[in-house]
Amino acid sequence: MTSAPFRADRYDVGFVGHWLSPVSTEEADALGHKLAMIDPWARYGTSAAHLSTLFRPTTDGGIRLAVRSTDPSTPIGVVVIRHPWLTGPYMQFLAVLPSHQRQGLGASVIDWFEAQARAGGSRNLWICAASFNASAQRLYVAKGFTQVALLDDLIKPGFDEVFMRKRLSPSGS
């Protein structure tokens, strides 16, 4: 593992047979097409091309990691992280394909995210969820996140986003 958080070539997420590693352009395109068909992105009308662009390796400072499984070895999800951010990393995007949801993988990725942030000395974790995405909000609350703002019309007019934070250390630490 490298000394900078979120910059290694591979991460074990503590979920047997699953890991994270950088996403390739081809994988980004395939994930963009698959994820554009499911909520919340389908409800927003987000195009596969837009998602693919978000997932592709770039020089914008975003960290893009594919969620991988030994069976099959192709990506089953994606994580996009912004770090550094507001005294801690912001998980801009977390998605797992429906066939791999509700098995604890998302919770393991959140645990990994927190462990990386703590190891790097971060004071906060940040995440955002669509207000209609109750299952994502339940996961984040179960992992210790609290709502800090409701952002109206952020992604698309008529839709609200729940901006959430988890404090890793008290203010002034």
Side-chain angles (χ1 to χ4, degrees):
M1 187 163 137
T2 64
S3 59
F6 311 111
R7 301 292 180 179
D9 290 332
R10 180 182 166 124
Y11 292 99
D12 178 8
V13 293
F15 193 87
V16 176
H18 294 78
W19 69 95
L20 304 175
S21 63
V23 66
S24 71
T25 299
E26 296 78 22
E27 292 169 335
D29 292 344
L31 285 164
H33 282 48
K34 291 174 184 176
L35 293 171
M37 295 186 284
I38 64 172
D39 276 344
W41 310 284
R43 193 176 303 192
Y44 289 142
T46 307
S47 71
H50 177 82
L51 290 175
S52 295
T53 298
L54 174 64
F55 305 153
R56 284 187 198 124
T58 69
T59 58
D60 69 358
I63 300 145
R64 290 151 171 89
L65 300 169
V67 181
R68 301 182 186 280
S69 171
T70 54
D71 185 31
S73 60
T74 57
I76 58 169
V78 65
V79 177
V80 178
I81 297 168
R82 298 290 170 181
H83 181 71
W85 211 62
L86 299 173
T87 65
Y90 169 54
M91 186 176 285
Q92 179 181 354
F93 201 96
L94 168 60
V96 175
L97 295 175
S99 58
H100 297 278
Q101 292 177 1
R102 311 234 187 298
Q103 300 172 21
L105 181 55
S108 292
V109 170
I110 296 291
D111 291 343
W112 164 84
F113 179 56
E114 180 174 344
Q116 287 294 303
R118 285 185 186 281
S122 295
R123 290 186 18 221
N124 298 289
L125 296 178
W126 302 95
I127 203 156
C128 203
S131 62
F132 61 82
N133 193 345
S135 62
Q137 291 177 59
R138 278 191 302 274
L139 169 62
Y140 304 150
V141 167
K143 291 297 179 182
F145 286 83
T146 58
Q147 180 178 329
V148 294
L150 186 65
L151 307 170
D152 63 326
D153 302 330
L154 180 68
I155 305 294
K156 185 173 182 175
F159 292 93
D160 299 334
E161 302 301 312
V162 179
F163 189 53
M164 304 177 92
R165 169 186 182 186
K166 180 173 183 175
R167 287 181 191 247
L168 301 181
S169 65
S171 295
S173 299

